[in-house]
Amino acid sequence: MSFDHKIKIAPSILSADFANFGQEIQAIEAQGADWVHVDVMDGHFVPNLTFGPMAVKAFRPHVKTVMDVHLMIAPVDPYIDAYADAGADVLTAHVEAGPHIHRTLQAIRAAGMKAGMALNPGTPAEAVAHLLDLTDLICVMTVNPGFGGQKFIDMTAKIRRLREMIGDRPVHIEIDGGVDPNTAPQVAQAGADVLVAGSAVFKGGSVSDPSVYGENIRSIRAAAEGVWA
């Protein structure tokens, strides 16, 4: 996974057709998705239950870009090797999910993956100040995690602060929650470069009509890149 600051669109397959994941993944990639975002929830850290390592392993052969796996689980450390074996390219853990995020990031990298850390809306940017040399991505939650389709929470001040703290380090800032053509310019202007979008990508389309996915992806990208131009 090479690093650059171009805007990347990472559709969340939480909004895809659960009975048709393989074709859905192929469709969004064919229509311009840069990454494929996989939301893992445990019914404990967040109030929902989604994909275990076996499901993620089943997605892997269909993903030709970057499989971006977001763990909304606690604890994280016992599952790192399982998600590495499943083929995650990026594995993101929540700062709030355990007492030793430093060790978690070390373990993710040791397992051969890029290491991400996610911040809930109530967690300040300063929580990651001493971790920036151990991370490849910071995921700023712009909703409270656990469900798709929520209303965007304005975190632009936090994004700006993180971009300032990161400096010239090769660290992505990812936004997860409520991203659409209206909110994309706001977060891109603040310094985000990876935009996770679920319903905003999948709405109105299907594997039998995937061009709608492409229109939705292009619309979000154009809105975000307009402020980066």
Side-chain angles (χ1 to χ4, degrees):
M1 188 183 87
S2 62
F3 182 87
D4 63 62
H5 273 306
K6 290 178 183 170
I7 294 289
K8 291 172 179 45
I9 309 297
S12 167
I13 61 169
L14 192 63
S15 296
D17 174 3
F18 277 30
N20 219 354
F21 274 126
Q23 284 185 287
E24 289 276 48
I25 289 166
Q26 291 167 24
I28 56 173
E29 290 193 334
Q31 291 295 326
D34 299 289
W35 293 7
V36 173
H37 189 82
V38 181
D39 288 304
V40 173
M41 305 181 190
D42 65 357
H44 162 71
F45 181 68
V46 293
N48 205 345
L49 192 62
T50 61
F51 315 116
M54 294 289 285
V56 175
K57 191 168 192 172
F59 303 154
R60 178 71 256 187
H62 302 281
V63 179
K64 307 303 181 197
T65 56
V66 170
M67 190 159 70
D68 174 32
V69 178
H70 176 191
L71 299 182
M72 287 169 268
I73 69 174
V76 170
D77 293 11
Y79 299 97
I80 290 171
D81 287 342
Y83 283 100
D85 291 343
D89 294 304
V90 184
L91 196 68
T92 296
H94 271 257
V95 169
E96 308 87 1
H100 304 296
I101 185 67
H102 187 285
R103 185 164 68 200
T104 299
L105 293 170
Q106 286 180 315
I108 292 170
R109 282 188 164 181
M113 296 171 287
K114 297 288 187 182
M117 52 185 168
L119 299 174
N120 282 335
T123 302
E126 282 65 30
V128 305
H130 301 290
L131 302 165
L132 294 171
D133 292 323
L134 274 176
T135 193
D136 302 287
L137 176 146
I138 300 169
C139 176
V140 177
M141 297 301 300
T142 43
V143 296
N144 284 294
F147 296 96
Q150 295 185 71
K151 186 172 164 42
F152 177 82
I153 301 169
D154 183 357
M155 288 284 142
T156 47
K158 185 191 291 188
I159 299 163
R160 282 195 195 94
R161 177 69 185 124
L162 286 167
R163 185 51 70 198
E164 186 182 283
M165 290 164 64
I166 289 165
D168 61 1
R169 295 176 180 90
V171 177
H172 293 291
I173 296 179
E174 177 175 77
I175 305 302
D176 189 353
V179 171
D180 60 25
N182 297 315
T183 56
Q186 198 175 330
V187 296
Q189 190 168 37
D193 60 331
V194 181
L195 307 183
V196 175
S199 49
V201 166
F202 286 96
K203 68 181 179 188
S206 66
V207 293
S208 58
D209 188 14
S211 64
V212 177
Y213 298 161
E215 290 164 17
N216 293 340
I217 289 168
R218 287 190 293 276
S219 179
I220 297 166
R221 192 190 306 280
E225 287 181 344
V227 298
W228 275 53

